């Protein structure tokens, strides 16, 4: 499965969920949520990313996580976080996976307000925990912060994505407020600057048209007790959705095959009939040369020709 | 020949309803003037009444036709698989299903959830089912085409065609 498929398979579920929780999530522009979410329906992945398989992305993470690889663009802050990284890899949520893979970037506060003003759906406490322990998700991300880049980082308690580590470019901005984490994002131009200037740690390609606005990548849930249930339910829903997507693909393919077979059959039939007609015309030329002049008679005589033809052979 | 079976394999009709077979009889089915081809979508309202199912074959041979829904009540949880919609036996070859004996009355597709497949399966009978020789299933849910065929010595199917159907929004129903 490549990233494109993964994304497609989870999208519908995510959308429904986000819609459902939009109202509860208390976005200032809650009303806009629906429009924003619908707009998100048409997704295209950066080409370089979409062809990657999920496994490849995972491997890339693991490579990133291995201590030897920190060099280059990394900063001191990143190095420090290194040891804490490993344990969190195991319990990465889908959202985190997507964020790290560069599929999803959250909007900067401004954009978020504008586009999908919204739905910062609730966060599962566990995911927060995971994020807290592992600033890497963002730090790693090449999420260096540019002073000019409107990168407001409301992240004090967690200290994710330390602004100082930046190379002077903004790519990610994270804001955390009241239990819901929203991570801000790069818009295209910044993203390009980022990869061009730094070319480090960022999986998204400069070709990427627009990073997905993806509000509520990390959602909060008010209660702590039923996290397991929520996660399980979400997983089950994801699996169901994947199955359903597979069925849908199969349905489409089956119908296409049926139609193709039909076309083939009709083509053959058509060719056969054309050949027959040609033969008949030849026959007629030989048998009734004078009749060629008169089309009406020609058609009127077809059956006669046919029988002659048949009796001949 | 294989290409006639392919859509059935991809649509998982072969596998979930019947085993791999080689079609030996041509069967055409149509709801009104709408021909059914594998995988086409038929609205439940267009399939309220039995389709015209015409079969080839010799007049002396008799055929059994089954219409079944392997996706009941929902494709992701087909707990009733299969749901029997129609059972006609003793159809003479070269005629249509109306010339046979209807053992289980036709019931149109009424998919509650999701897109269901409705499969028309034709078997060649070894002999005529005379009164009492064929016990039609007492219930429609949890019907099993394979078991039914095995029980009545029908062997492999001779023709299969299936279509899809999905619940219509209320305002479109007529």
């Amino acid at each position: 499965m490549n990233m494109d498929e993964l994304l497609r398979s989870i999208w519908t579920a995510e959308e429904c969920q986000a819609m459902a929780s939009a109202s509860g999530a208390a976005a200032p522009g809650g009303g806009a949520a629906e429009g924003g979410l619908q707009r998100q329906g048409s997704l295209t992945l950066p080409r370089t990313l979409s062809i990657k398989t999920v496994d490849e992305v995972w491997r890339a993470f693991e490579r990133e996580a291995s201590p030897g690889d920190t060099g280059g663009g990394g900063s001191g802050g990143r190095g420090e976080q290194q040891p804490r990284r490993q344990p969190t890899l195991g319990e990465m949520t889908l959202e985190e996976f997507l964020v790290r893979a560069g599929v999803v970037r959250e909007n900067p506060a401004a954009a978020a307000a504008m586009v999908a003003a919204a739905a910062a759906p609730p966060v599962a406490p566990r995911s927060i925990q995971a994020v807290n322990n592992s600033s890497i998700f963002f730090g790693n991300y090449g999420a260096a912060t540019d002073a000019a880049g409107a990168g407001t980082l409301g992240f004090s308690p967690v200290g994710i994505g330390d602004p100082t580590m930046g190379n002077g470019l903004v790519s990610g901005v994270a804001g955390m407020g009241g239990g819901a984490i929203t991570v801000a994002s790069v818009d295209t131009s910044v993203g390009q600057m980022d990869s061009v200037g730094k070319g480090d740690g960022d999986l998204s390609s400069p070709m990427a048209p627009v990073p997905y606005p993806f509000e509520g990548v990390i959602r909060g849930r008010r209660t702590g007790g039923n996290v397991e249930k929520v996660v399980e339910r979400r997983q089950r829903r994801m699996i169901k959705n994947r199955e359903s997507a597979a069925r849908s693909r199969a349905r489409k393919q089956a119908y296409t095959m049926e139609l193709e077979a039909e076309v083939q059959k009709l083509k053959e039939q058509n060719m056969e009939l054309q050949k027959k007609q040609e033969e008949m015309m030849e026959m007629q030329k030989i048998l009734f040369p004078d009749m060629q002049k008169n089309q009406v008679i020609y058609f009127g005589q077809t059956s006669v020709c046919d029988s002659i033809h048949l009796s001949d052979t | 020949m294989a290409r006639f079976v392919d859509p059935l394999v991809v649509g998982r009709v072969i596998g979930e309803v019947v085993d791999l077979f080689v079609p030996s009889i041509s069967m055409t089915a149509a709801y009104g003037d709408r021909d059914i081809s594998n995988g086409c979508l038929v609205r439940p309202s267009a399939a309220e009444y039995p389709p015209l199912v015409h079969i080839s074959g010799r007049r002396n041979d008799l055929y059994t036709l089954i219409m079944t829904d392997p996706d009941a009540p929902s494709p992701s949880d087909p707990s009733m698989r299969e749901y029997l919609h129609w059972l006609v036996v003793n159809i003479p070859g070269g005629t249509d299903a109306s010339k046979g004996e209807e053992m289980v009355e036709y019931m149109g597709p009424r998919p509650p959830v999701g897109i269901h497949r409705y499969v028309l399966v034709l078997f060649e009978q070894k002999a005529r089912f005379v009164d009492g020789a064929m016990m039609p299933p007492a219930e429609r849910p949890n019907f099993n085409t394979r078991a039914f065929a095995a029980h009545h010595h029908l062997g492999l199917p001779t023709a299969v065609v299936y279509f899809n159907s999905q619940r219509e929004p209320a305002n479109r129903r007529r």
Side-chain angles (χ1 to χ4, degrees), chain B residues 129-141:
Chain B
F129 289 121
V130 288
D131 288 340
M134 143 92 60
M135 282 294 285
E139 285 195 317
R140 291 179 189 263

Side-chain angles (χ1 to χ4, degrees), chain A residues 247 250-251 253-255 257-258, chain B residues 6-7 10 38-39 75 115 162 164:
Chain A
R247 266 198 307 275
R251 240 188 339 258
Q253 200 194 346
Y255 191 45
M257 282 166 102
E258 173 76 13
Chain B
D6 277 348
V10 175
N38 285 322
I115 302 175
Y162 83 100
N164 293 315

Side-chain angles (χ1 to χ4, degrees), chain B residues 60-79:
Chain B
N60 294 344
D61 291 333
L62 294 172
Y63 296 87
T64 292
L65 178 71
I66 290 168
M67 177 167 149
T68 180
D69 170 9
D71 298 318
S74 136
S76 56
D77 182 25
S79 55

Side-chain angles (χ1 to χ4, degrees), chain B residues 5 8 22 119 124 129 139 174:
Chain B
V5 167
L8 297 174
V22 178
V119 188
E124 187 178 330
F129 289 121
E139 285 195 317
R174 274 172 284 180

Side-chain angles (χ1 to χ4, degrees), chain A residues 44 165 221 228 285:
Chain A
T44 43
M165 69 180 267
R221 239 163 254 287
E228 291 297 324
K285 253 186 221 161

